[in-house]
């Protein structure tokens, strides 16, 4: 080749080399963006008839509406994170929460490999799920959507509400698990961020405490006396709430 031809070829190679470099950079940028979006907005299709791999509308509403950061920690051995029997695996279930909102993140912790983290968070058994919001922590009672969402709701609410159950007239007992007991009522309320406690108004000058969000008279077998009805009347007139369950 003549010097002129050689120079032209080198110039052409440099030009196409530059084009190729720019093209590769664009392709890499697109792939990186696609990978980021795929991880952040991962979607999956649940084709089962009873939608056992889908989250409920309530969970979607709670998580999608988050206004503050939420962290979910799941403690178990790494090899068991993807194990599944009759429903989604722990990783699949919690990843579905993660995909609903950028405000929520999930961290999977192997307590064998990271015992200090488990100790710091007072986790004593494998399969434990802990929800953390602004330093407040709530442990889910089991690895199920219902219990995880309930724990999330509890963690989001700064102030707990209190349901006070009147005692002294044969009402249904909060600690009784028999068919006539209210232990299931107590459990359901506490899973929804309520404190529960018994309350007696059989005293000289009774009054319903101000921290009672609601007073529940749960199936009394004998009539209330005047001092009790007076205290309840005063509580309601001051804006208190009461629920009377009459068998």
């Amino acid at each position: 080749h003549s010097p002129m031809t050689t120079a032209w070829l080198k110039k052409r190679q440099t030009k196409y080399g530059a084009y190729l470099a720019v093209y590769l950079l664009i392709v890499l940028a697109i792939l990186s963006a696609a990978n980021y979006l795929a991880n952040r907005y991962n979607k999956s299709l649940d084709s089962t008839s009873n939608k056992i791999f889908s989250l409920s509308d309530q969970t979607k509403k709670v998580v999608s509406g988050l206004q503050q950061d939420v962290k979910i920690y799941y403690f178990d051995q790494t090899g068991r994170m993807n194990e599944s029997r009759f429903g989604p695996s722990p990783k699949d279930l919690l990843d579905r929460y993660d995909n609903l909102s950028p405000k929520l993140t999930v961290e999977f912790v192997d307590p064998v490999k990271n015992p200090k983290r488990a100790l710091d968070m007072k986790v004593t058994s494998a399969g434990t799920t802990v929800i953390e919001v602004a330093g407040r922590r709530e442990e889910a009672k089991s690895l199920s959507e219902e219990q995880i969402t309930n724990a999330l709701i509890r963690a989001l609410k700064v102030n707990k509400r209190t349901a006070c159950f009147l005692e002294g007239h044969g009402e249904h007992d909060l600690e009784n698990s028999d068919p006539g007991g209210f232990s299931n009522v107590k459990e359901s309320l506490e899973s929804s961020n309520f404190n529960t406690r018994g309350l007696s108004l059989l005293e000289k000058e009774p009054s319903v405490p101000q921290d009672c969000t609601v007073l529940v008279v749960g199936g009394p077998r004998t009539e209330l006396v005047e001092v009790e009805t007076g205290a309840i009347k005063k509580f309601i007139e001051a804006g208190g709430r009461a629920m009377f369950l009459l068998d």
Side-chain angles (χ1 to χ4, degrees), residues 16 18 20 24 90 94-95 110 130 155 164 170 184 187 205 210 247:
Y16 280 103
L20 180 60
L24 289 174
L94 294 174
D95 279 347
D110 188 329
V130 177
C164 298
N184 286 336
E187 182 178 346
E205 294 182 0
Q210 293 184 351
D247 293 342

Side-chain angles (χ1 to χ4, degrees), residues 100-226:
L100 288 176
S101 171
K103 290 285 187 181
L104 187 149
T105 56
V106 178
E107 181 177 339
F108 297 93
V109 183
D110 188 329
V112 177
K113 297 179 180 178
N114 195 346
K116 186 177 184 304
R117 174 64 67 85
L119 184 64
D120 290 344
M121 298 189 71
K122 300 179 180 179
V123 173
T124 59
S125 60
T128 298
T129 307
V130 177
I131 289 86
E132 184 176 62
V133 181
R136 299 185 301 278
R137 291 173 181 168
E138 288 285 344
E139 181 178 327
K141 295 183 178 180
S142 66
L143 184 68
S144 66
E145 181 192 349
E146 179 184 4
Q147 295 300 337
I148 292 171
T149 299
N150 281 339
L152 173 57
I153 293 172
R154 293 197 303 271
L156 289 171
K157 293 182 179 179
V158 178
N159 299 316
K160 282 194 172 183
R161 298 164 292 176
T162 301
C164 298
F165 286 75
L166 188 67
E167 295 178 338
H169 311 85
E171 294 90 350
H172 297 278
D173 187 358
L174 285 172
E175 305 301 330
N176 192 337
S177 59
D178 292 336
F182 266 13
S183 62
N184 286 336
V185 175
K186 177 182 178 180
E187 182 178 346
S188 296
L189 285 170
E190 291 179 349
S191 70
S192 299
N193 208 42
F194 268 90
N195 286 322
T196 59
R197 76 164 189 259
L199 173 67
S200 174
L201 295 176
L202 293 171
E203 53 189 60
K204 187 175 180 180
E205 294 182 0
S207 63
V208 179
Q210 293 184 351
D211 67 332
C212 289
T213 311
V214 58
L215 172 67
V216 181
V217 183
R221 297 181 183 179
T222 59
E223 292 186 5
L224 278 63
V225 298
E226 187 175 349

Side-chain angles (χ1 to χ4, degrees), residues 2-162:
S2 66
M4 182 178 294
T5 302
T6 302
W8 180 80
L9 287 172
K10 287 183 177 180
K11 184 177 180 181
R12 186 179 184 187
Q13 289 173 349
T14 301
K15 181 178 179 181
Y16 280 103
Y19 283 152
L20 180 60
V22 172
Y23 175 76
L24 289 174
L25 287 174
I26 292 174
V27 171
L28 288 173
I30 292 173
L31 291 175
S32 297
N35 185 59
Y36 171 81
L37 291 172
N39 287 328
R40 172 55 67 182
Y41 301 104
N42 179 36
K43 302 295 181 182
S44 58
L45 176 65
D46 183 0
S47 60
T48 58
S49 59
N50 55 0
K51 300 298 180 184
I52 60 174
F53 292 93
S54 299
L55 296 176
S56 68
D57 291 339
Q58 180 190 7
T59 294
K60 292 176 182 177
K61 182 178 180 180
V62 172
V63 179
S64 299
L66 288 173
Q67 300 298 317
Q68 53 189 319
D69 292 335
V70 172
K71 189 72 174 284
I72 297 181
Y73 298 89
Y74 180 71
F75 293 82
D76 207 344
Q77 295 180 26
T78 303
R80 298 171 57 180
M81 299 289 188
N82 291 303
E83 288 184 359
S84 174
R85 291 186 178 181
F86 305 107
S89 67
K91 190 174 189 312
D92 181 57
L93 174 61
L94 294 174
D95 279 347
R96 291 175 186 274
Y97 278 81
D98 194 4
N99 292 332
L100 288 176
S101 171
K103 290 285 187 181
L104 187 149
T105 56
V106 178
E107 181 177 339
F108 297 93
V109 183
D110 188 329
V112 177
K113 297 179 180 178
N114 195 346
K116 186 177 184 304
R117 174 64 67 85
L119 184 64
D120 290 344
M121 298 189 71
K122 300 179 180 179
V123 173
T124 59
S125 60
T128 298
T129 307
V130 177
I131 289 86
E132 184 176 62
V133 181
R136 299 185 301 278
R137 291 173 181 168
E138 288 285 344
E139 181 178 327
K141 295 183 178 180
S142 66
L143 184 68
S144 66
E145 181 192 349
E146 179 184 4
Q147 295 300 337
I148 292 171
T149 299
N150 281 339
L152 173 57
I153 293 172
R154 293 197 303 271
L156 289 171
K157 293 182 179 179
V158 178
N159 299 316
K160 282 194 172 183
R161 298 164 292 176
T162 301

